[in-house]
């Protein structure tokens, strides 16, 4: 599940998902804070303030009730007393309403758990005194109605005053308390708002920073390999194929980098092959020229050797004839003189040497002619016609020629499949097999084994020649197709065999591959196009 | 020993439960044998002024704000304080005076037994046949 192993699309999705999630979180958080805030505001507007209003009205109305009672007490006028009574009824209605309002709000705030013990106690104090005051009011009313005015006034000024003061005081404190609480709630709301604002800002900034970070990371993940590719492409255009791209991601960019490196290597291989074949081609032209030039003088030398031998024989015979004639005519002195001269010259040795020298000239000429022939072959100067032939038969005919050479030393194992006939230069292919087989034979020191395999598929016919000889190191392997490259002693190998073979196989649009391990053996695999 | 404990606990349970019950009592002259909750409220608010036989309704209250009084008024949906407000209004509008408030439940019992057309309330466990019970309030 490593992020670097995901595809670009997944990376993008994960990135955007993370950003989206963050925005949703921020959104939810703000909503939550807003609703907290809303609750506070509702608490302020719906509860404490209305409670405070109800309580202060209640306070006013109870005070007014008391004033009306005084006015009732101070008059003897029946009419006025009636008026005051009506007003008192109205006030009592209002008081009832105030109490109802307050108690309803009180129940609500109790349900919300925001009703304080202090408020509860103060309200109890008020109701207790209000009850006492009502009891006293009954007494007062009876006195006042019966015109016992002084007693009524005394009642109002003494017992009722106490209850009124305590009850009124409780109401005032309650109003203050509610105002204080509503103020506190407002402050809490403001604090909530501030902290919500702060938190939301911090979270939004965090979200922005994180999104930037994710975006950067994503872009880097894509950009880094692109930069590496650009640098690598620069190197390649300068001809340096040995590029390295550190492929850390398993995404599309990773794949691209991988195929890029692969491409660079194939490019290098193709380039090397091109250089190799160009080298071969120019060497071929050079060789063709040289071979042509050397051919004539060598022919000259070779064609002169035999007549020279004959001529020298004649000269020697003439000299022998002289000696016989001298011996025959008993010219002892002359003969002795000649013998002495011959001894002085070491004539026997000279005769021997002449033979050897002639042999040397002949061998040298022959070998030069062979080299020239090889060079001409290598440069494809003399192409014979293409024919239909069977590869198995070609290999067999080559083996026939080598039979004597291999004899008991080398065991040949043939593993032939029924391969189709192909259109080819059979003589030249024979030359290739001859060279490969004799190389294999030469690579084997003492007894050994050569395995020859043939097989085919729709496109190609394959011939593999494997020996268990001395093998090659990498350095040798890289040079074997170059003309004149040989590890053999001077005079033993020309180093042309494989380069000629290479050219021949190329003429057939085939390929020649080599696998080798030092001291284990070598395998050459030839593939030829399967067409007639 | 176990039996005594059992009897004791039953007694305690009984006394607790009987304590919580309130009897609405009336003078034997009152013809009504039972009253409903809303009739009780109307009787105590002064809205029903006469019994079925034409006798005036005379209500009685308890002086102390004890459990019996609170439970009785809360049964008819009011607080003692609110009842007083109602009576004060009636008084100011000349519809009648507030009830006499008696010191004890026993006073209530004897006053109701003595007064024609009287109605009152006491704990269920103290009533006797000097009065008639016209409602029982269980909590
Ligand atoms: N089967 C093999 N095992 C080990 N080395 C080999 C084998 N075939 C070729 N080589 C190496 O490749 C070199 C080049 O081979 P190539 O046939 O071109 O030249 P040569 O055999 O040395 O000389 P020539 O074939 O002209 O007589 C050889 O000298 C040898 O070192
Ligand atoms: Mg060779």
């Amino acid at each position: 599940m490593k992020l670097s192993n995901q595809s670009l699309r997944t990376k993008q999705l994960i990135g955007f998902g993370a950003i989206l999630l963050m925005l949703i979180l921020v959104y939810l958080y703000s909503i939550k804070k807003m609703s907290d805030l809303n609750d506070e505001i509702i608490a302020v507007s719906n509860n404490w303030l209305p409670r405070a209003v109800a309580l202060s009205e209640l306070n006013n109305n109870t005070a007014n009730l008391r004033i009306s009672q005084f006015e009732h007490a101070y008059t003897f006028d029946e009419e006025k007393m009636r008026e005051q009574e009506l007003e008192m009824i109205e006030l009592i209605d209002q008081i009832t309403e105030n109490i109802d309002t307050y108690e309803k709000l009180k129940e609500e705030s109790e349900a919300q758990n925001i009703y304080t013990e202090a408020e509860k106690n103060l309200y109890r104090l008020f109701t207790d005194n209000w009850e006492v005051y009502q009891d006293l009011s009954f007494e007062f009313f009876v006195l006042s109605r019966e015109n016992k005015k002084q007693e009524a006034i005394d009642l109002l000024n003494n017992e009722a005053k106490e209850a009124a003061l305590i009850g009124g005081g409780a109401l005032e404190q309650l109003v203050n308390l509610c105002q204080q609480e509503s103020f506190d709630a407002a402050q809490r709301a403001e604090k909530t708002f501030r902290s919500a604002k702060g938190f939301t800002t911090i979270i939004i900034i965090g979200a922005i920073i994180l999104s930037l970070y994710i975006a950067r990371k994503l872009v880097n993940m894509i950009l880094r390999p692109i930069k590496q590719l650009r640098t690598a492409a620069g190197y390649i255009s300068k001809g340096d194929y040995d590029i390295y791209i550190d492929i850390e991601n398993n995404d599309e960019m990773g794949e691209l980098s991988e195929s890029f490196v692969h491409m660079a290597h194939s490019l290098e291989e193709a380039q090397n092959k091109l250089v190799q074949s160009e080298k071969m081609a120019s060497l071929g032209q050079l060789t063709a020229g040289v071979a042509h030039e050397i051919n004539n003088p060598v022919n000259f030398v070779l064609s002169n050797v035999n007549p020279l031998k004959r001529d020298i024989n004649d000269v020697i015979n003439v000299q022998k004839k002289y000696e016989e004639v001298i011996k025959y005519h008993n010219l002892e002195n002359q003969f002795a003189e000649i013998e002495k001269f011959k001894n002085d010259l070491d004539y026997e040795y000279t005769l021997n040497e002449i033979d050897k020298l002639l042999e040397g000239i002949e061998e040298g000429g022959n070998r030069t002619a062979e080299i020239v022939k090889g060079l001409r072959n290598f440069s494809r100067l003399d192409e014979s016609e293409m024919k239909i032939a069977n590869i198995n038969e070609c290999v067999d005919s080559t083996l026939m020629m080598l039979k004597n050479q291999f004899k008991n030393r080398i065991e040949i194992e043939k593993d032939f499949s029924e391969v189709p006939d192909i259109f080819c230069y059979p003589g030249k292919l024979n030359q290739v097999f001859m060279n490969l087989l004799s190389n294999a034979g030469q690579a084997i020191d003492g007894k050994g084994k050569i395995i020859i395999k043939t097989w085919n598929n729709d496109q190609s016919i394959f011939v593999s020649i494997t020996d268990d000889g001395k093998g090659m190191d990498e350095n040798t392997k890289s040079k074997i197709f170059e003309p004149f490259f040989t590890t053999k002693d001077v005079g033993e190998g020309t180093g042309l065999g494989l380069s000629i073979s290479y050219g021949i196989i190329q003429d057939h649009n085939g390929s020649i591959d080599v696998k080798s391990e030092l001291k284990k053996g070598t395998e050459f695999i030839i593939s030829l196009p399967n067409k007639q | 020993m176990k039996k005594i404990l059992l009897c004791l606990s039953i007694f305690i349970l009984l006394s607790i439960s009987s304590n919580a019950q309130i009897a609405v009592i009336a003078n034997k002259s009152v013809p009504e044998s039972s009253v409903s909750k809303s009739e009780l409220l109307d009787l105590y608010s002064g809205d029903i002024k006469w019994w079925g036989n034409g006798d005036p309704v005379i209500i009685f209250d308890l002086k102390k704000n004890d459990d019996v009084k609170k439970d009785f008024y809360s049964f008819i949906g009011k607080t003692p304080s609110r009842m007083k407000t109602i009576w004060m209004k009636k008084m100011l509008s000349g519809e009648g005076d507030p009830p006499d408030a008696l010191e004890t439940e026993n006073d209530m019992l004897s006053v109701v037994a003595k007064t024609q057309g009287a109605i009152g309330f006491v704990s269920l466990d103290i009533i006797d046949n000097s009065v008639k019970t016209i409602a029982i309030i269980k909590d």
Side-chain angles (χ1 to χ4, degrees):
Chain A
M1 252 332 269
K2 250 187 82 185
L3 182 61
S4 60
N5 289 346
Q6 307 301 312
S7 72
L8 290 180
R9 173 195 267 275
T10 318
K11 274 178 193 157
Q12 272 180 5
L13 284 180
I14 290 173
F16 288 127
I19 292 167
L20 199 69
L21 193 76
M22 220 120 55
L23 289 179
I24 289 171
L25 284 179
V26 170
Y27 176 72
L28 290 180
Y29 180 79
S30 336
I31 293 273
K32 161 100 181 65
K33 280 288 162 188
M34 291 301 164
S35 81
D36 283 357
L37 200 60
N38 206 29
D39 287 352
E40 295 283 358
I41 290 167
I42 285 171
V44 175
S45 57
N46 278 9
N47 221 301
W48 283 304
L49 275 182
R51 244 147 68 209
V53 170
L55 287 167
S56 73
E57 275 178 17
L58 181 59
N59 199 15
N60 274 346
N61 289 329
T62 47
N64 285 338
L65 180 70
R66 196 162 141 75
I67 291 168
S68 288
Q69 285 173 333
F70 269 112
E71 283 176 3
H72 193 275
Y74 278 116
T75 183
F76 290 90
D77 183 347
E78 286 280 335
E79 196 125 321
K80 269 213 166 147
M81 290 208 296
R82 273 307 306 151
E83 248 173 56
Q84 290 308 324
E85 281 161 20
L86 286 177
E87 200 182 316
M88 279 189 258
I89 288 174
E90 212 167 283
L91 284 169
I92 285 169
D93 277 343
Q94 281 175 24
I95 287 168
T96 311
E97 206 183 299
N98 295 152
I99 288 177
D100 279 350
T101 309
Y102 176 80
E103 286 189 347
K104 223 178 120 209
L105 290 166
K106 174 186 148 179
E107 260 170 44
E108 274 173 24
S109 52
E110 269 170 346
Q112 285 178 39
N113 264 333
I114 52 170
Y115 194 72
T116 62
E117 198 64 26
E119 192 173 341
K120 193 173 160 187
N121 290 336
L122 281 172
Y123 186 64
R124 163 109 26 90
L125 188 62
F126 162 74
T127 45
D128 287 352
N129 280 284
W130 171 237
E131 223 181 307
V132 171
Y133 192 83
Q134 286 185 111
D135 282 338
L136 293 170
S137 294
F138 296 145
E139 278 176 47
F140 156 80
F141 197 62
V142 172
L143 290 172
S144 182
R145 211 168 39 186
E146 289 168 0
N147 279 339
K148 295 178 179 164
K149 296 297 183 184
Q150 192 51 51
E151 285 171 52
I153 291 166
D154 285 348
L155 184 80
L156 282 183
N157 273 334
N158 297 311
E159 296 107 305
K161 186 180 178 184
E162 196 186 341
L165 282 182
I166 297 174
L171 282 181
E172 259 164 41
Q173 281 186 52
L174 272 175
V175 171
N176 284 341
L177 200 78
C178 286
Q179 276 173 348
Q180 185 60 44
E181 272 171 358
S182 76
F183 180 71
D184 286 352
Q187 264 191 338
R188 272 203 299 281
E190 201 191 329
K191 226 171 108 185
T192 314
F193 178 69
R194 277 223 205 97
S195 76
K197 214 168 84 178
F199 267 120
T200 319
T201 315
I202 286 171
I203 289 180
I204 286 176
I205 289 173
I208 289 171
I209 290 173
L210 207 69
S211 338
L212 285 179
Y213 174 76
I214 289 172
R216 223 183 87 99
K217 193 111 201 197
L218 270 180
V219 168
N220 271 354
M221 273 179 176
I222 299 164
L223 220 55
R224 222 176 80 89
I226 288 181
K227 278 185 183 160
Q228 284 192 334
L229 284 181
R230 199 185 55 196
T231 319
Y235 280 130
I236 288 175
S237 67
K238 282 183 205 145
D240 180 2
Y241 294 98
D242 200 10
I243 55 164
Y244 172 75
I245 296 177
D246 133 50
I247 301 161
E248 58 181 21
N249 298 347
N250 260 346
D251 58 11
E252 293 90 334
M253 290 315 297
E255 279 167 28
L256 180 61
S257 310
E258 224 171 68
S259 31
F260 192 83
V261 171
H262 189 74
M263 183 200 76
H265 289 156
S266 325
L267 210 60
E268 186 180 19
E269 228 167 77
Q271 169 119 353
N272 284 346
K273 273 194 184 150
L274 199 68
V275 168
Q276 173 85 349
S277 54
E278 231 159 75
K279 212 156 56 174
M280 296 290 212
S282 52
L283 266 166
Q285 269 168 345
L286 179 75
T287 318
V290 172
H292 188 73
E293 289 306 318
I294 293 174
N295 201 30
N296 281 339
V298 164
N299 274 341
F300 203 69
V301 170
L302 274 182
S303 54
N304 286 353
V305 166
N306 278 336
L308 183 61
K309 266 185 184 169
R310 227 180 29 238
D311 293 353
I312 281 177
N313 243 355
D314 285 352
V315 171
I316 289 169
N317 284 340
V318 169
Q319 185 254 322
K320 276 181 182 158
K321 191 77 192 167
Y322 273 119
E323 281 175 23
E324 273 169 29
V325 170
I326 288 168
K327 227 175 179 178
Y328 184 73
H329 290 286
N330 264 336
L331 298 170
E332 290 291 335
N333 288 341
Q334 286 86 343
F335 185 71
E337 201 175 323
I338 289 167
E339 278 300 305
K340 191 181 174 282
F341 187 64
K342 270 164 90 176
N343 274 340
D344 285 352
L345 279 180
D346 205 352
Y347 187 64
E348 281 303 311
Y349 179 78
T350 307
L351 284 182
N352 267 339
E353 200 178 42
I354 285 172
D355 272 353
K356 274 186 193 153
L357 287 175
L358 281 173
E359 250 168 53
I361 289 171
E362 193 173 21
E363 205 194 312
N366 275 332
R367 208 185 285 167
T368 312
E370 219 168 274
I371 290 173
V372 169
K373 204 175 120 204
L375 285 174
R376 282 156 67 98
N377 267 335
F378 168 70
S379 56
R380 292 160 242 151
L381 272 183
D382 36 11
E383 261 156 40
S384 43
E385 269 170 57
M386 276 195 140
K387 284 181 202 156
I388 298 276
N390 188 282
I391 291 298
N392 288 347
E393 283 167 17
C394 288
V395 176
D396 271 335
S397 66
T398 309
L399 276 174
M400 283 290 274
M401 292 199 275
L402 286 167
K403 216 174 197 171
N404 223 32
Q405 200 181 314
F406 289 168
K407 263 188 218 156
N408 304 322
R409 193 171 72 91
I410 287 158
E411 183 195 334
I412 301 283
E413 186 184 315
K414 290 197 285 183
D415 181 5
F416 287 178
S417 309
E418 293 273 321
V419 294
D421 295 349
I422 54 167
F423 205 51
C424 62
Y425 300 105
K428 297 204 167 192
L429 288 184
N430 280 347
Q431 204 182 330
V432 171
F433 299 139
M434 171 69 92
N435 187 41
L436 292 181
L437 286 168
S438 60
N439 277 355
Q442 284 159 10
I444 294 169
D445 200 14
K447 288 201 172 193
K449 184 178 181 183
I450 296 174
I451 304 167
I452 308 165
K453 253 193 245 180
T454 62
W455 73 96
N456 71 293
N457 59 24
D458 286 348
Q459 291 91 41
S460 307
I461 289 178
F462 299 94
V463 182
S464 143
I465 294 169
T466 311
D467 65 68
D468 56 0
K470 61 179 191 242
M472 290 173 267
D473 58 22
E474 283 298 314
N475 188 35
T476 307
K477 211 173 86 178
S478 67
K479 290 183 188 151
I480 54 173
F481 293 111
E482 285 175 17
F484 303 112
F485 174 79
T486 180
T487 56
K488 289 159 195 171
D489 290 339
V490 184
E492 232 176 273
T494 59
L496 283 174
L498 282 179
S499 61
I500 291 168
S501 304
Y502 184 88
I504 291 170
I505 299 300
Q506 276 215 324
D507 280 347
H508 283 84
N509 290 322
S511 71
I512 179 162
D513 279 313
V514 58
K515 296 174 190 166
S516 184
E517 209 178 316
L518 206 58
K519 287 176 185 159
K520 289 268 168 64
T522 306
E523 178 182 16
F524 280 90
I525 301 167
I526 290 166
S527 86
L528 295 164
N530 183 1
K531 58 161 199 245
Q532 284 157 7
Chain B
M1 185 66 191
K2 267 188 183 171
K3 269 186 182 171
I4 297 173
L5 264 179
L6 194 72
C7 288
L8 203 73
S9 53
I10 288 173
F11 175 76
I12 289 168
L13 274 173
L14 279 175
S15 62
I16 287 171
S17 58
S18 64
N19 256 359
Q21 293 191 340
I22 297 163
V24 179
I25 51 172
N27 184 270
K28 285 198 167 159
S29 67
V30 170
E32 278 79 0
S33 58
S34 77
V35 288
S36 71
K37 193 163 153 176
S38 60
E39 284 169 335
L40 262 182
L41 178 59
D42 288 345
L43 286 163
Y44 263 83
S45 304
D47 289 340
I48 296 176
K49 294 191 172 70
W50 290 279
W51 294 113
N53 59 3
D55 284 347
V57 174
I58 302 174
I59 55 173
F60 287 96
D61 187 20
L62 283 172
K63 217 168 220 164
K64 286 199 204 107
N65 264 348
D66 58 12
D67 283 345
V68 178
K69 181 174 166 182
K70 276 188 200 152
D71 287 349
F72 173 72
Y73 288 124
S74 83
F75 175 71
I76 57 174
K78 303 286 168 188
T79 61
S81 166
R82 175 57 53 86
M83 283 318 293
K84 280 179 186 161
T85 311
I86 291 168
W87 293 331
M88 190 139 83
K89 255 182 87 175
K90 293 279 175 199
M91 194 182 186
L92 286 168
S93 54
E95 285 182 51
D97 288 345
D100 281 342
L102 303 166
E103 290 290 344
T104 68
E105 288 180 52
N106 284 324
D107 289 350
M108 174 83 88
L109 196 63
S110 55
V111 169
V112 169
K114 278 193 300 217
T115 316
Q116 195 169 342
I119 177 170
F121 53 90
V122 292
S123 297
L124 183 64
D125 52 351
I126 67 159
I127 57 165
D128 50 32
N129 51 14
S130 66
V131 292
K132 70 190 278 186
T133 305
I134 53 173
I136 289 177
I137 299 165
K138 297 168 189 164
D139 49 17

